[in-house]
Amino acid sequence: MTEDKKAKNKKILGIKGLNDVLPEDAPVWELLENTAEAVLKSYGYQRIRTPIVEETALFARGLGAVTDIVEKEMYSFEDALNGDRLTLRPESTAGVVRAVVEHSLTYNGPKRLWYSGPMFRHERPQRGRYRQFHQIGAEALGFGGPDIDAELIMLCQRLWDDLGLQGVRLEINSIGNAEERNRHRADLIAWFEQNRDVLDADAQRRLYANPLRILDTKNPAMQEMVNAAPKLLDYLDRDSLAHFEGLKKILEYNRIPFTINPRLVRGMDYYNRTVFEWIGGKAGAMATLCGGGRYDPLFEMFGGRPTPSCGFALGVERLIELLKEQGGAGVAQYTDVFIAHQGEDAMLQAFALAEALRGTGLDVILHCAPAASGSSFKAQMKRADESGATFAILLGEDELKGGKASVKALRAPETENNQRLVPMEQVADYLIGQIIGAEDEHPCGCSGLCSGPSSHGIH
Ligand code: AMP
């Protein structure tokens, strides 16, 4: 092969930090996406879809110039066709608020919205940290009280419960308003100046631009100094304190456990008052699964009317990992029935039977020849097994002679007589009867991850 041809035939690989989600993970992604959608709907949140690309200025203004995201993580580029400065969205709140202001969506009153989709941050790829990742988030726009903060937190709790997740814990804090933060900030800078010898390079750089973020440091050498720093909670005035107390009261009344973490500040500049994080995972590998808080000033920063608001975003990949750790993904079942056939007549009848079964709401995979020639029943049955189907239907010469189909229960114990001949016109009723019967017998309560028939309802 010539060098030129070799170069042409070289495999092109995906980009580092941008992952393929493979079909074997599809069931657990669907479980999370469908459960989240159902929970968000049940609280009255409506879906909004905003573009993946926005003007760079939107994020620079909204997120704050001295944040990790804006400083070093944004995928920004110039549109070669018209010179526009654009950015792949690193998060969705800025885009949602931009859209709400642009379309006056809160003109008639507050709005509860949610979104789901990919985000992009140029971070160093590692476990749980990717360059393209997915978030599902909610934004409650035009609500000023602590009640909506509590609602969003309780919505998350319901989602963890519905997913069957264990050991996810809640941390909350209040970071006050701009004036309270300014007073705290002056004292904080003075404190850091007194301890300048302990500050690492990142902290030195942020000392005057964003000292609050220094509290978030993971550097062990700075922990003692940071623990003793002035606490923002001590600077809150009456209204901010009342807001925080209001939130705690609702959570306590509803028995939602939380801890107050006075160092919780979160990454974006637009947050004020309530901030919260949900943390989970195996001991030693705990991660923030979901973060949120109040962002009362953001609408005005985007030219809108004052619109106090609160929201959260959860990291889909991190939740998927936890779901897999805690639930086990089981055999991926992606169909109810697999139809195997041999011979031209059988192939024609198999097509008609597959359509009839799909018409009753069953999911059906029809064997199609992998290459020009057909394949043996044995090879087809192997595919049927791999598909996770509950039943295989075999159509061969013998079956067709009697106007029947062989129906084999693939998930029944080997010892049982699990194959029987069923008249062709009765196949649908027979399968539905079997599946409904099995659901009654095996309420596995596995949150849909198991390979049993209960994960596939007849729609
Ligand atoms: P944030 O928008 O930074 O508040 O992040 C909200 C959630 O998104 C985090 O708690 C993570 O679960 C998830 N997340 C943020 N950045 C990444 C990333 N680079 N890779 C994977 N998940 C992420």
Side-chain angles (χ1 to χ4, degrees), residues 17 69 73 90-93 115 119-124 126-136 266-268 270-271 276-278 287-292 312-319:
I69 294 181
E73 293 171 2
E91 56 91 63
S92 257
T93 302
Y115 60 82
M119 311 294 156
F120 303 85
R121 294 182 196 172
H122 198 109
E123 300 194 72
R124 201 159 61 79
Q126 51 191 291
R127 187 166 170 228
R129 197 169 287 285
Y130 310 106
R131 291 181 171 173
Q132 176 179 321
F133 59 100
H134 296 75
Q135 288 185 334
I136 298 175
R266 310 226 359 95
M268 276 68 101
Y270 52 62
Y271 283 107
F276 61 89
E277 282 188 355
W278 291 94
T288 305
L289 304 169
C290 171
F312 70 77
L314 60 82
V316 172
E317 280 80 358
R318 293 191 192 174
L319 277 160

